[in-house]
Amino acid sequence: MTIFESSANSSECLARTGQLKLAHGSVDTPAFMPVGTSATVKAVELDALDKMGYSLILSNTYHLMLRPGKETIEMHGGLHKFMQWSGNILTDSGGFQVFSLAPFRKVKKEGVKFQSHIDGSMHFLSPERAVELQCSFNSDIQMVLDVCTAKGVTEKKALEAVYITSDWARRAHQTWLGKVSQGYQGALFGIVQGNFFKELRQRSAEEICALDFPGFAIGGLSVGETFEEFSDFLSFTSPLLPASKPRYLMGIGTPEYILQAVEYGIDMFDCVFPTRIARNGTLFTKNGRLVIKNERYKNDLRPVEEQGPLSRYSRSYLRHLFKSQEILGPILASQHNLYFLKNMMTEIRQAIVTDRFKNYKKNFLSAYQEGIAP
């Protein structure tokens, strides 16, 4: 299955543009995916995402299997109809969420047994089951079940995780091929692990890329490491993935991390961070993050930015919404941060096409000074 077509490449670095050809339409890359964990992007209507130009969002298998459950989604005819989204959906397998439940899960060769964070009930997820669930959701892109390890684990533990991840990837791939033969049109992505050991990253990449997945993801980064460590391991791992397939870096969503990822040839990224900080009153601007609850904005008549969902509202009014705990505040702020990133991605693609990405990155970061937006 071929889903990616590269169109332009930077002469200075690995940055590139392209298109994902998916069942619910094409997606221009590099692309940021808003996260709709439980079949909704928090505080944002799907019509608003559509108007911004988003055509690919992310949901999570772990959360959806627990609530509302596979049967309910199947009754609606799949996740698209359940949430009334006409664009594409990528579903994460739930591996990272199970990883975050460390005291309540047990990983074995067969799969992972875990305790629901909702009601304490016990569940079992295997790589085959993860594929079957995502097929029942009718995901346009689904992810294999993998084992993500925390920063600081021993090399032995990281090696065990690589071994299981590779085994699970082979089993998932076989299950997915069977579903494709039955008419399923979604793509399955493999995930490279290896923690912060380059030899293990190399091994994981070789084993995962030996399987003919339509796309590949890099997992286990942006988990608490420094920016320098992140850049080092990203620059090492990304070139190990096939240039003919889309590269997905999981779990990043800030301008500086996105720009670094694009420079190293990443095509896709996602993160809850932009909407999470928006609900708490922090906004992306071209001059850095703006904390709208600050007293300095009480009588500020300027808009947060001249364009986008907040262009008609003063900073004073937006601050009032948050201080009064009016729900419109988080709604508008969430829309703004997603609009900001969508606009940024458009600029990035234009910069790559005109072969000036490095200059664009330098100028953007020069203006984007963390935490001191005027």
Side-chain angles (χ1 to χ4, degrees), residues 9-15 263 351 354-360:
N9 296 274
S10 170
S11 64
E12 304 172 304
C13 60
L14 296 177
E263 182 171 340
T354 55
D355 205 16
R356 54 182 182 85
F357 172 75
K358 293 290 283 283
N359 188 56
Y360 172 84

Side-chain angles (χ1 to χ4, degrees), residues 155-176:
E155 187 171 1
K156 181 180 178 181
K157 286 289 185 183
L159 175 59
E160 291 174 359
V162 167
Y163 175 79
I164 295 174
T165 293
S166 294
D167 180 53
W168 286 0
R170 285 187 285 269
R171 290 161 55 187
H173 189 259
Q174 283 300 115
T175 304
W176 170 73

Side-chain angles (χ1 to χ4, degrees), residues 67-291:
R67 186 170 57 194
K70 173 178 178 285
E71 294 74 17
T72 298
I73 294 175
E74 282 184 323
M75 285 175 59
H76 285 79
L79 191 54
H80 297 81
K81 292 181 179 178
F82 178 61
M83 62 190 294
Q84 290 298 299
W85 171 246
S86 60
N88 295 287
I89 300 174
L90 181 151
T91 47
D92 192 358
S93 68
F96 182 81
Q97 285 67 35
V98 172
F99 151 74
S100 68
L101 297 170
F104 309 103
R105 50 92 169 159
K106 187 169 184 61
V107 177
K108 295 184 177 181
K109 182 178 180 180
E110 296 76 21
V112 57
K113 187 176 182 180
F114 63 93
Q115 189 174 7
S116 167
H117 72 286
I118 299 172
D119 58 12
S121 58
M122 297 304 299
H123 298 266
F124 178 76
L125 191 60
S126 67
E128 294 87 356
R129 176 66 172 161
V131 169
E132 290 165 359
L133 282 166
Q134 293 176 90
C135 287
S136 72
F137 299 158
N138 197 30
S139 305
D140 298 285
I141 298 175
Q142 58 170 283
M143 307 304 298
V144 298
L145 185 66
D146 62 327
V147 181
C148 183
T149 51
K151 186 177 187 298
V153 301
T154 64
E155 187 171 1
K156 181 180 178 181
K157 286 289 185 183
L159 175 59
E160 291 174 359
V162 167
Y163 175 79
I164 295 174
T165 293
S166 294
D167 180 53
W168 286 0
R170 285 187 285 269
R171 290 161 55 187
H173 189 259
Q174 283 300 115
T175 304
W176 170 73
L177 286 176
K179 294 293 185 179
V180 169
S181 69
Q182 297 170 14
Y184 174 64
Q185 296 182 336
L188 177 67
F189 280 25
I191 303 176
V192 173
Q193 290 291 348
N195 202 270
F196 293 90
F197 301 96
K198 289 185 177 179
E199 288 186 5
L200 295 187
R201 286 275 169 185
Q202 175 91 36
R203 172 175 173 168
S204 181
E206 290 174 355
E207 293 176 353
I208 298 299
C209 293
L211 299 167
D212 191 24
F213 288 108
F216 296 93
I218 299 173
L221 292 183
S222 192
V223 291
E225 74 275 14
T226 65
F227 186 76
E228 289 71 25
E229 289 173 314
F230 165 83
S231 298
D232 181 29
F233 277 83
L234 177 59
S235 64
F236 175 80
T237 307
S238 182
L240 302 177
L241 306 182
S244 61
K245 305 287 183 73
R247 304 181 184 120
Y248 168 27
L249 179 58
M250 308 175 78
I252 64 165
T254 61
E256 58 271 45
Y257 275 76
I258 288 174
L259 287 164
Q260 196 76 347
V262 169
E263 182 171 340
Y264 293 128
I266 300 299
D267 306 297
M268 306 160 59
F269 4 80
D270 78 280
C271 194
V272 298
F273 184 80
T275 47
R276 177 178 289 165
I277 63 170
R279 295 194 302 275
N280 292 308
T282 298
L283 306 167
F284 290 140
T285 79
K286 61 185 179 182
N287 295 312
R289 294 186 204 168
L290 185 154
V291 181

Side-chain angles (χ1 to χ4, degrees), residues 319-347:
R319 179 181 182 276
H320 159 72
L321 293 178
F322 274 95
K323 299 301 281 187
S324 301
Q325 298 185 341
E326 289 288 344
I327 197 169
L328 181 60
I331 290 173
L332 291 175
S334 298
Q335 290 181 3
H336 167 81
N337 279 359
L338 292 179
Y339 175 88
F340 180 90
L341 289 180
K342 189 67 176 68
N343 190 57
M344 174 184 163
M345 299 314 304
T346 299
E347 292 177 350

Side-chain angles (χ1 to χ4, degrees), residues 290 292 297 300 302-304 313-319 374:
L290 185 154
I292 199 64
Y297 303 120
D300 192 332
R302 297 174 296 166
V304 172
Y313 303 107
S314 70
R315 300 181 185 193
S316 174
Y317 176 67
L318 194 61
R319 179 181 182 276

